[in-house]
């Protein structure tokens, strides 16, 4: 490790600034030796140098916090097995509990590295990708309590996770929160959400989400194709398709001739 640190010094002397990968490799090396304090100290050096930690940086730190916890709970052999076998990023996110994230943030704060919006974004996206919705929502709540406004990327990651996990009620609330915050929900997630709500018999929920999309800024053709044609009609939900088509007409939505023709043909065919 001393040789590695000396190399960092030499790089700087030669005018080669260490990048995110360089710092992350150093963090991982300290973590593998069980020196988590030194690993977090490298994180502070990253921030002080104006170098943005990557997704991989946070994963490395969290992996070693998980290892430390396993060593305390189940012994050093189990902990060593964890570090040597967790090579896939998704494995780390899957094993993560909320208490590990709290410990991670606490260690950052002690070093004067307050978690910012970018840190939260990387954490929430990673957790959502493995379907760990409960943990992602708690991190999201903490973010808001600390007064950090979620980005559209975070909202859409959570919405996609809700749809994947078929947590449609949470998805409806999330769409409402997104729109109030001035963010556009992804139409692909909305398609899954609306179809899922109708399939579960929640007609009011599906209609509510659809109506909230109309004034959001999407072209009406986009909504018609993605939600009605590519969504409800393809899944055989003819009654729902007809209902939402009528809602769009009554709302004064403007369709291109091709879209209008496809809607009519699709509804007639069912």
């Amino acid at each position: 490790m001393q040789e590695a640190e000396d190399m960092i010094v030499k790089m700087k002397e030669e005018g080669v600034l260490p990048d995110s990968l360089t710092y992350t490799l150093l963090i991982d090396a300290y973590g593998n030796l069980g020196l988590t304090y030194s690993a977090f100290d490298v994180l502070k050096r990253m921030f002080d140098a104006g170098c943005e930690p990557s997704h991989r940086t946070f994963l490395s730190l969290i992996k070693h916090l998980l290892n430390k916890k396993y060593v305390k709970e189940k012994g050093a052999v189990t902990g060593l097995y964890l570090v040597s076998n967790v090579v896939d990023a998704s494995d780390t996110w899957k094993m993560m509990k909320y208490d590990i994230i709290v410990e991670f943030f606490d260690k950052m704060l002690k070093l004067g590295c307050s978690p910012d919006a970018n840190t939260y974004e990387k954490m929430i996206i990673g957790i959502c990708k493995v379907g760990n919705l409960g943990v992602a929502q708690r991190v999201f709540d903490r973010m808001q309590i600390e007064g950090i406004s979620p980005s559209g990327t975070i909202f859409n990651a959570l919405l996609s996770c809700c749809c994947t996990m078929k947590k449609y009620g949470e998805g409806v609330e999330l769409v409402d929160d997104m729109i109030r915050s001035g963010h556009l929900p992804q139409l692909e997630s909305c398609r899954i959400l609306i179809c899922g709500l109708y399939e579960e018999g929640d007609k009011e929920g599906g209609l509510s989400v659809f109506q909230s999309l109309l004034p959001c800024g999407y072209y009406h053709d986009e909504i018609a194709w993605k939600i009605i044609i590519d969504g409800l009609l393809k899944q055989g939900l003819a009654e729902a398709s007809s209902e939402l088509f009528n809602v769009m007409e009554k709302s004064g939505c403007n369709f291109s001739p091709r879209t209008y023709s496809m809607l009519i043909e699709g509804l007639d065919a069912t």
Side-chain angles (χ1 to χ4, degrees):
M1 292 308 302
Q2 187 57 54
E3 290 179 13
E5 290 285 8
D6 290 344
M7 182 60 71
I8 298 288
V9 174
K10 186 176 180 180
M11 287 173 66
K12 292 179 179 178
E13 289 175 348
E14 296 291 333
V16 181
L17 295 178
D19 60 8
S20 177
L21 176 59
T22 306
Y23 282 115
T24 301
L25 289 171
L26 201 60
I27 285 171
D28 201 42
Y30 277 122
N32 283 329
L33 293 171
L35 303 172
T36 53
Y37 180 84
S38 297
F40 273 90
D41 184 60
V42 176
L43 178 67
K44 183 179 187 305
R45 286 155 55 186
M46 282 187 77
F47 278 107
D48 290 345
C51 183
E52 184 68 41
S54 68
H55 189 78
R56 182 177 173 184
T57 309
F58 295 127
L59 270 175
S60 181
L61 286 163
I62 290 165
K63 179 181 73 173
H64 294 300
L65 285 177
L66 278 166
N67 174 58
K68 186 177 178 182
K69 180 181 178 183
Y70 270 66
V71 167
K72 285 182 180 179
E73 293 178 353
K74 302 178 182 179
V77 175
T78 304
L80 182 62
Y81 177 83
L82 177 71
V83 169
S84 61
N85 285 276
V86 175
V87 292
D88 189 343
S90 64
D91 289 339
T92 303
W93 294 121
K94 285 175 184 175
M95 289 187 291
M96 191 186 308
K97 305 295 182 185
Y98 184 66
D99 61 333
I100 288 292
I101 296 173
V102 172
E103 183 179 354
F104 172 76
F105 285 152
D106 287 346
K107 287 184 180 295
M108 286 186 68
L109 289 168
K110 285 177 183 177
L111 290 168
C113 306
S114 299
D116 58 9
N118 190 48
T119 304
Y120 276 104
E121 183 171 302
K122 286 183 171 67
M123 297 283 287
I124 292 171
I125 289 173
I127 298 166
C128 284
K129 281 183 177 178
V130 296
N132 205 342
L133 182 60
V135 174
Q137 286 176 323
R138 293 183 71 181
V139 177
F140 179 73
D141 291 341
R142 174 177 174 136
M143 178 184 191
Q144 291 184 300
I145 289 170
E146 292 182 4
I148 301 175
S149 299
S151 65
T153 304
I154 290 177
F155 271 118
N156 277 306
L158 285 165
L159 179 58
S160 177
C161 189
C162 285
C163 292
T164 301
M165 304 305 295
K166 297 186 177 182
K167 301 288 185 179
Y168 300 128
E170 288 92 330
V172 173
E173 293 178 8
L174 204 57
V175 169
D176 289 340
D177 289 342
M178 285 188 74
I179 293 171
R180 278 197 297 268
S181 301
H183 297 294
L184 278 177
Q186 290 179 344
L187 284 180
E188 175 61 24
S189 293
C190 289
R191 178 186 67 80
I192 298 170
L193 177 59
I194 291 170
C195 289
L197 288 165
Y198 271 99
E199 286 178 338
E200 289 190 347
D202 188 358
K203 174 182 171 181
E204 290 184 5
L207 184 59
S208 172
V209 173
F210 186 77
Q211 287 177 319
S212 67
L213 286 175
L214 297 183
C216 274
Y218 283 113
Y219 290 114
H220 297 148
D221 283 341
E222 287 182 284
I223 297 174
W225 275 94
K226 179 58 70 173
I227 307 299
I228 300 179
I229 297 174
D230 193 41
L232 297 171
L233 281 174
K234 279 191 176 180
Q235 291 185 226
L237 298 170
E239 185 178 340
S241 302
S242 179
E243 181 176 37
L244 298 191
F245 173 58
N246 289 334
V247 167
M248 294 190 80
E249 278 200 316
K250 289 177 182 177
S251 300
C253 295
N254 296 314
F255 305 117
S256 69
R258 180 167 178 256
T259 299
Y260 199 89
S261 174
M262 286 295 294
L263 283 167
I264 296 300
E265 287 176 14
L267 290 170
D268 285 344
T270 57

